[in-house]
Amino acid sequence: MKILVLFAHPAFERSRIHARLLRAAATVQDVTIRDLYQVYPDFDVSPQAEQPIVEQHDVIIFQHPFYWYSGPALIKQWMDLVLEHGWAYGKNGTRLQGKRMMNVLSMAGNEQAYSTEGHHGHPVNAFLLPFEQTARLCYMQYLPPFVVHSSNTLNDQQLNEHANRYIQLLEQLKMNTAALIVNPQPDPSGHS
């Protein structure tokens, strides 16, 4: 299976987390990384350019920081323009049917903050409902997100552990085995 990572970070030059995750993803064969802010600095997204790229891949990953309970604006612009009626959804819009979609996120809040009892009052999945419903509308399977919590306080070892888990996820997706194990619990012994 071929994987497309649609990466969007409006301040990538300051991102330690996504820089490391992208380096990890780049080591995996059959993974295409597309930096949307680099390709479309003026937000002039081209459906004619994007649609053939999407069609060539089996898994679509939106990788981004979790800003204001969603993705950066360029992801929304990409979705608004690329996922056209008659191509992605609607009576004849079946070009994405059977593909998988998911989010790879970084967020400053810890896991407890994203719970019904936590600071944000909802789990992460509740905030990602627009992505999940978009996948559904486009006849795609939405997979659970890969989340890097507490991104502002991670040390290098923890960041490397997340990068290694990301590589494992991408390898599982390629083998079509990632539906159940997206965010495995870390080994308490410290071994990965």
Side-chain angles (χ1 to χ4, degrees), residues 10-143:
F12 183 48
E13 67 280 0
R14 296 189 312 235
S15 175
R16 189 174 139 252
I17 305 302
H18 286 283
R20 181 66 184 95
L21 292 178
L22 285 180
R23 281 196 311 273
T27 68
V28 180
Q29 189 175 358
D30 296 321
V31 171
T32 302
I33 299 170
R34 196 150 171 82
D35 183 340
L36 295 179
Y37 277 90
Q38 184 178 49
V39 176
Y40 299 113
D42 297 325
F43 279 58
D44 191 16
V45 176
S46 168
Q48 295 77 20
E50 295 299 308
Q51 289 172 351
I53 295 169
V54 172
E55 287 182 17
Q56 295 169 13
H57 293 83
D58 306 295
V59 180
I60 313 305
I61 295 175
F62 289 101
Q63 180 178 331
H64 56 91
F66 199 57
Y67 284 168
W68 290 104
Y69 308 109
S70 187
L74 188 49
I75 288 180
K76 180 69 165 77
Q77 177 79 346
W78 188 96
M79 293 172 99
D80 287 347
L81 297 176
V82 175
L83 303 179
E84 293 178 316
H85 183 271
W87 181 79
Y89 69 98
K91 183 178 178 186
N92 298 313
T94 58
R95 302 305 278 269
L96 303 179
Q97 187 169 359
K99 295 183 185 291
R100 293 174 163 195
M101 186 178 112
M102 68 178 295
N103 297 83
V104 170
L105 309 168
S106 64
M107 55 186 60
N110 62 30
E111 288 183 61
Q112 173 57 31
Y114 286 94
S115 67
T116 53
E117 303 81 26
H119 178 73
H120 301 288
H122 301 281
V124 172
N125 288 356
F127 295 108
L128 296 175
L129 188 57
F131 287 97
E132 182 177 348
Q133 187 58 34
T134 297
R136 223 177 250 135
L137 182 67
C138 297
Y139 312 107
M140 297 174 22
Q141 178 187 7
Y142 185 74
L143 299 176

Side-chain angles (χ1 to χ4, degrees), residues 163-184:
N164 290 334
R165 284 192 318 110
Y166 192 24
I167 290 171
Q168 291 172 354
L169 168 66
L170 293 170
E171 293 289 353
Q172 290 172 343
L173 286 167
K174 282 177 39 181
M175 304 285 281
N176 204 18
T177 60
L180 299 177
I181 305 176
V182 174
N183 278 315

